[in-house]
Amino acid sequence: IFLSLTFFSLNRKKMNLKSERRGIHVDQSELLCKKGCGYYGNPAWQGYCSKCWREEYHRARQKQIQEDWELAERLQREEEEAYASSQSTQGAQSLTFSKFEEKKTNEKTRKVTTVKKFFTASSRTGAKKEIQEAKAPSPSINRQSSIETDRVSKEFIEFLKTYHKPGQDIYKQCKLFVDAMNHKKDLSIEVQSEFAQDFYQNVAEKLQTRWKVPPEKVEKAMDQIEKYIMTRQYKYVFCPETTDDEKKDLAVQKRIRALHWVTPQMLCVPVNEEIPEVSDLVVKAITDIIEMDSKRVPRDKLACITKCSKHIFNAIKITKNEPASADDFLPTLIYIVLKGNPPRLQSNIQYITRFCNPSRLMTGEDGYYFTNLCCAVAFIEKLDAQSLNLSQEDFDRFMTGQTSPKKQESDSFSPDVCLGVKQMYKNLDLLSQLNERQERIVSEAKKLEKDLIDWTDGITKEVQDIVEKYPLEIKPKNQALAAIDSENVENDKLPPPLQPQVYAG
């Protein structure tokens, strides 16, 4: 019996632990590309990796171009048929309208030609157009460069000197890319992102095949190329006005502020901040995730995410005295994001997704940590009462600020905690109790007010019913009765009333 009870209690604990983690647990397979290629996926790419996403995007784009081309041909045929029928029915026309009709025909032909050119899906013409755009002089090439841009340019040139002939070709390709990007400022950010991703892929292939550069030097070269071009293009492609990135930033920031009451216990965070070393690591992780916004290069932003994640793993390891698992990492990362509320979080994620070297996002620890950050943000956006094991009523009260979760009792503090912290928690408990009492008083007052209104309405209705049942008959006022002696003409001869006699002495 004892063994059975022990086994039952252990199973119950396991079930409770599973239920606690049911809203936060993310299987590692969910982080991979849903096409099954083995690389990491990304919510911004609908769960695909960058390679599979580009294939899907190109397929959808070609399909849309084909549909638009068919629509243009159909409209052209209908317009030509309508014009031919109108010519056959009208017959001979006067000389006055001949020039007008000729001008109208020319304009229609020009419109049709323009539509055909617009919907032409030729890869060769597109490539030639891109080359012409790249060779065109940039109007902003002579603008005043910032100090950081100049410094990065000098570092890039010094780095390419070690590559000799390939370095010169790489520099020319990068200059052409920057000029072409300056011509594409008016296009959508998706087009600019696709152009940058194609450039990364073409340069990497040239380094490996044409210039026979070793793989480790290829990775270093791609990092320097990304640093050079994105430092120059940062202010044009980070959170552009043509996107809704700023709107998403404000929504996420407002959401995180509304969730300020979430505690580590609700998220099952295995981190004990009472340990000084762990507390320092938590502060460092928050600092790193906030510092991400100050970087201009996607690789540097990814480095901040990686440093933050490593601090989290170390904090969990010190707390549990064992290596951290993925189920421990994700809740802690969510807690760090909630506690730090990084500025322009969605803009930074979108910027990394659009313009980072795709090989970093698809593989390696940078890609793994970045995918987990995307999952953490998605979890925060969809956080509900079930995820935190709370009732819907308590969750709504916490979100509206009517009340806050019960704080830690002062008796459970360690002896090392200062008196000020204990007094602070006592005051918070007292304020929470006063808030509950005030809510009860307001509720009772509203109830009393309703009862008084109902009682008044009931009395008024009863009086009206009685008046209707027994109506009052108001009779005219009777004439005043005359005095008894009014007709006595000898009133003045009546004796006066008896007067008291006063006797002297």
Side-chain angles (χ1 to χ4, degrees):
I1 295 174
F2 175 77
L3 291 174
S4 300
L5 291 174
T6 305
F7 181 75
F8 175 78
S9 62
L10 289 173
N11 286 338
R12 188 174 182 181
K13 288 182 180 179
K14 290 181 179 179
M15 292 176 63
N16 292 335
L17 183 61
K18 289 181 180 180
S19 62
E20 287 177 354
R21 295 184 181 277
R22 67 177 181 273
I24 303 177
H25 174 72
V26 175
D27 192 0
Q28 294 302 296
S29 60
E30 298 177 8
L31 302 178
L32 300 177
C33 176
K34 65 180 183 181
K35 201 171 182 179
C37 62
Y39 296 116
Y40 290 118
N42 193 322
W45 294 324
Q46 300 180 4
Y48 294 102
C49 66
S50 62
K51 182 180 178 181
C52 297
W53 167 249
R54 290 177 65 194
E55 293 176 356
E56 293 292 330
Y57 179 76
H58 280 297
R59 189 179 296 110
R61 187 178 178 184
Q62 292 297 328
K63 182 180 178 182
Q64 183 66 35
I65 291 175
Q66 183 66 25
E67 292 178 354
D68 293 341
W69 170 246
E70 293 175 357
L71 177 62
E73 287 183 340
R74 183 170 58 83
L75 292 175
Q76 181 184 359
R77 288 195 304 269
E78 292 177 357
E79 191 171 359
E80 290 176 352
E81 292 173 0
Y83 181 70
S85 61
S86 63
Q87 287 292 329
S88 60
T89 55
Q90 287 178 0
Q93 296 181 350
S94 63
L95 183 62
T96 308
F97 293 96
S98 61
K99 293 184 178 180
F100 174 75
E101 290 296 334
E102 183 179 357
K103 182 178 179 182
K104 183 178 179 182
T105 305
N106 293 335
E107 180 142 356
K108 286 183 178 180
T109 307
R110 185 167 62 253
K111 286 183 179 179
V112 171
T113 307
T114 305
V115 172
K116 291 172 67 176
K117 288 182 179 180
F118 180 75
F119 289 109
T120 300
S122 176
S123 59
R124 293 184 178 178
T125 56
K128 292 181 180 179
K129 186 177 180 182
E130 288 181 358
I131 294 174
Q132 292 176 358
E133 288 180 353
K135 292 183 178 180
S138 173
S140 62
I141 196 68
N142 296 322
R143 71 177 184 277
Q144 184 66 28
S145 301
S146 63
I147 297 176
E148 185 177 359
T149 303
D150 293 338
R151 178 180 58 82
V152 171
S153 299
K154 292 178 182 179
E155 292 178 356
F156 185 58
I157 293 173
E158 291 295 327
F159 172 78
L160 292 179
K161 287 181 180 179
T162 60
Y163 285 72
H164 305 293
K165 178 60 177 175
Q168 297 178 5
D169 295 338
I170 291 173
Y171 185 73
K172 291 179 182 178
Q173 293 290 331
C174 292
K175 291 289 291 182
L176 291 174
F177 173 79
V178 172
D179 293 342
M181 284 291 288
N182 290 329
H183 287 288
K184 295 179 180 292
K185 292 177 183 177
D186 298 333
L187 301 180
S188 65
I189 195 65
E190 287 76 14
V191 174
Q192 299 180 51
S193 172
E194 185 181 359
F195 184 59
Q197 298 294 330
D198 290 339
F199 175 74
Y200 288 143
Q201 185 176 1
N202 293 333
V203 173
E205 290 178 356
K206 288 180 180 179
L207 286 171
Q208 293 175 356
T209 58
R210 182 185 300 180
W211 298 316
K212 307 299 181 181
V213 178
E216 61 275 5
K217 296 190 69 175
V218 171
E219 186 176 354
K220 292 181 180 179
M222 293 305 300
D223 291 341
Q224 291 297 325
I225 291 171
E226 177 188 318
K227 183 177 181 180
Y228 172 72
I229 63 177
M230 296 318 302
T231 301
R232 300 175 68 91
Q233 298 294 322
Y234 176 77
K235 62 181 180 180
Y236 304 115
V237 297
F238 181 82
C239 191
E241 296 180 356
T242 56
T243 63
D244 58 348
D245 292 348
E246 185 178 1
K247 183 179 179 181
K248 293 180 179 179
D249 289 334
L250 296 175
V252 172
Q253 192 176 48
K254 183 179 179 181
R255 177 69 173 175
I256 293 176
R257 286 178 179 175
L259 294 169
H260 66 90
W261 47 269
V262 177
T263 61
Q265 291 76 21
M266 294 179 181
L267 295 171
C268 301
V269 175
V271 170
N272 185 7
E273 295 187 62
E274 294 181 2
I275 303 175
E277 190 176 357
V278 174
S279 179
D280 292 341
L281 290 172
V282 170
V283 173
K284 290 179 180 179
I286 294 174
T287 304
D288 290 333
I289 198 69
I290 293 175
E291 189 180 359
M292 174 179 62
D293 186 60
S294 63
K295 305 298 182 181
R296 303 181 70 177
V297 183
R299 176 173 170 267
D300 295 340
K301 293 180 181 291
L302 275 178
C304 292
I305 298 173
T306 301
K307 288 192 295 183
C308 169
S309 302
K310 289 183 177 180
H311 289 318
I312 291 174
F313 273 106
N314 291 333
I316 297 173
K317 183 178 179 181
I318 295 173
T319 303
K320 298 181 66 176
N321 292 324
E322 60 181 15
S325 63
D327 290 338
D328 296 330
F329 170 69
L330 184 59
T332 311
L333 180 60
I334 294 169
Y335 173 67
I336 293 297
V337 174
L338 290 176
K339 198 170 183 180
N341 197 359
R344 299 192 292 184
L345 183 57
Q346 281 288 1
S347 292
N348 283 285
I349 291 177
Q350 293 294 332
Y351 175 69
I352 294 172
T353 302
R354 292 164 182 160
F355 297 101
C356 183
N357 185 3
S359 62
R360 286 196 170 273
L361 299 183
M362 294 165 61
T363 57
E365 61 179 5
D366 290 341
Y368 174 75
Y369 295 139
F370 179 72
T371 305
N372 274 274
L373 177 63
C374 296
C375 293
V377 175
F379 177 83
I380 291 173
E381 292 175 343
K382 300 177 181 179
L383 192 69
D384 55 6
Q386 185 179 4
S387 302
L388 300 175
N389 293 333
L390 296 174
S391 63
Q392 189 63 40
E393 181 181 357
D394 291 340
F395 182 80
D396 294 338
R397 287 164 64 88
F398 295 156
M399 289 294 292
T400 55
Q402 296 180 1
T403 185
S404 59
K406 192 173 182 180
K407 302 297 181 182
Q408 189 176 9
E409 298 294 338
S410 58
D411 297 338
S412 60
F413 283 108
S414 62
D416 298 334
V417 178
C418 63
L419 296 175
V421 175
K422 295 181 180 180
Q423 186 63 37
M424 179 186 67
Y425 279 109
K426 286 183 180 179
N427 294 338
L428 290 174
D429 293 337
L430 181 60
L431 288 175
S432 179
Q433 294 175 9
L434 291 175
N435 189 22
E436 293 177 359
R437 290 177 59 186
Q438 183 180 7
E439 290 178 355
R440 286 199 302 269
I441 291 173
V442 171
S443 177
E444 294 294 333
K446 290 182 179 179
K447 183 180 178 181
L448 178 60
E449 181 182 8
K450 183 177 181 303
D451 292 341
L452 288 175
I453 293 174
D454 294 341
W455 179 79
T456 304
D457 295 340
I459 294 299
T460 304
K461 187 175 183 307
E462 289 181 4
V463 171
Q464 290 177 354
D465 293 341
I466 292 174
V467 169
E468 291 176 358
K469 187 175 182 180
Y470 304 102
L472 298 176
E473 295 181 2
I474 301 177
K475 297 180 179 180
K477 187 177 180 182
N478 294 332
Q479 297 181 354
L481 297 176
I484 298 176
D485 300 332
S486 60
E487 297 178 358
N488 193 351
V489 296
E490 298 179 352
N491 287 340
D492 54 344
K493 296 181 180 181
L494 292 175
L498 297 178
Q499 297 292 332
Q501 298 180 0
V502 179
Y503 296 92

